[in-house]
Amino acid sequence: HGKAQILYYLGENLAARADEFAKRISLQTGVDVESAVSEVEAGIESLFTAAAWADKYDGAVHHTPIRNVTLAVPEAIGVMGILLPDDHSLLALCKLAASALAMGNALVIVPSQIAPLTATDFYQVLETSDVPAGTFNIVTGDRDELAKTLAEHDDVDVVWYAGSADGQKSVQTASANNMKQTWVMPVGGDLPEMDEILRHATQVKNIWVPYGG
């Protein structure tokens, strides 16, 4: 409930500054203001959708061949490095980060390379939405350099990377030594659906409960 409430605050506070963010996106990317407004509205919707999922992404009970009830419980992975695509700078930030946050993860976000000010402006929304300190961190810089650093860092548990094929290969190679989870998304495509993002934002803990005599 607490996570959902914070994400609702984020959505409401972003909505209050929708025109400002639309103008900022338009100035950075060159898209018309109408398209920028549509992106802001989609970002707000993503925040509200993630908030709704925060207390509803439940586990399952599996059938087993022995006398056990096996509970599959999704739980947070831990610290996540998320390197955002260049296009749809606000929507990608809202959709990917909010979903990961809804599942209880701490985030290190590397924003769009062509519109990084969208993410830095978002700091002001974070500060007015009761987001716990250290939970949502934004680091600007070269995407591939930061991707390598995050992939090699032992205190980062998973890396999501949206970038070039060479960058994807670098992330997967760098994370092999510490067995870090990775999820790579090619540039230029649509953002993943919410259920896929939530699946990648969690790991499943299986609990075996014996029953009967």
Side-chain angles (χ1 to χ4, degrees), residues 79-150:
V79 178
M80 304 182 65
I82 305 178
L83 300 104
L84 300 175
D86 287 336
D87 51 349
H88 304 301
S89 56
L90 181 64
L91 177 57
L93 172 65
C94 291
K95 192 169 187 179
L96 294 173
S99 303
L101 198 65
M103 298 296 99
N105 299 286
L107 314 180
V108 179
I109 304 291
V110 178
S112 162
Q113 303 289 278
I114 64 173
L117 296 181
T118 303
T120 55
D121 285 352
F122 197 73
Y123 260 131
Q124 300 170 27
V125 179
L126 295 172
E127 290 174 351
T128 58
S129 303
D130 294 339
V131 179
T135 302
F136 200 124
N137 309 279
I138 300 173
V139 181
T140 58
D142 183 86
R143 179 195 289 117
D144 288 348
E145 289 182 5
L146 291 169
K148 187 173 184 295
T149 299
L150 290 169

Side-chain angles (χ1 to χ4, degrees), residues 1 12 31 34 79 107 117 138 154 162 171 178 180 201 203:
H1 175 78
E12 291 167 354
V31 303
E34 183 177 347
V79 178
L107 314 180
L117 296 181
I138 300 173
D154 288 341
V171 165
N178 51 30
K180 189 188 313 303
Q203 57 190 349

Side-chain angles (χ1 to χ4, degrees), residues 8-203:
Y8 279 125
Y9 288 156
L10 283 171
E12 291 167 354
N13 289 330
L14 179 58
R17 301 177 58 182
D19 291 343
E20 175 188 340
F21 273 85
K23 291 175 183 177
R24 173 73 87 177
I25 291 169
S26 179
L27 288 172
Q28 290 179 95
T29 63
V31 303
D32 59 84
V33 174
E34 183 177 347
S35 297
V37 168
S38 296
E39 180 178 346
V40 175
E41 290 174 349
I44 294 167
E45 181 180 350
S46 294
L47 290 168
F48 287 145
T49 301
W53 273 110
D55 60 352
K56 298 177 183 67
Y57 193 71
D58 296 325
V61 178
H62 293 310
H63 296 290
T64 54
I66 56 177
R67 299 178 70 85
N68 280 283
V69 174
T70 304
L71 309 177
V73 182
E75 59 181 19
I77 299 175
V79 178
M80 304 182 65
I82 305 178
L83 300 104
L84 300 175
D86 287 336
D87 51 349
H88 304 301
S89 56
L90 181 64
L91 177 57
L93 172 65
C94 291
K95 192 169 187 179
L96 294 173
S99 303
L101 198 65
M103 298 296 99
N105 299 286
L107 314 180
V108 179
I109 304 291
V110 178
S112 162
Q113 303 289 278
I114 64 173
L117 296 181
T118 303
T120 55
D121 285 352
F122 197 73
Y123 260 131
Q124 300 170 27
V125 179
L126 295 172
E127 290 174 351
T128 58
S129 303
D130 294 339
V131 179
T135 302
F136 200 124
N137 309 279
I138 300 173
V139 181
T140 58
D142 183 86
R143 179 195 289 117
D144 288 348
E145 289 182 5
L146 291 169
K148 187 173 184 295
T149 299
L150 290 169
E152 292 176 341
H153 203 298
D154 288 341
D155 291 331
V156 176
D157 300 296
V158 61
V159 171
W160 294 356
Y161 175 88
S164 66
D166 288 342
Q168 294 176 26
K169 181 178 179 181
S170 176
V171 165
Q172 292 171 327
T173 301
S175 63
N177 287 335
N178 51 30
M179 301 296 289
K180 189 188 313 303
Q181 294 186 41
T182 60
W183 185 28
V184 295
M185 293 166 274
V187 294
D190 294 333
L191 290 169
E193 295 299 324
M194 185 68 72
D195 57 346
E196 184 179 5
I197 302 172
L198 294 172
R199 179 170 57 82
H200 282 280
T202 54
Q203 57 190 349

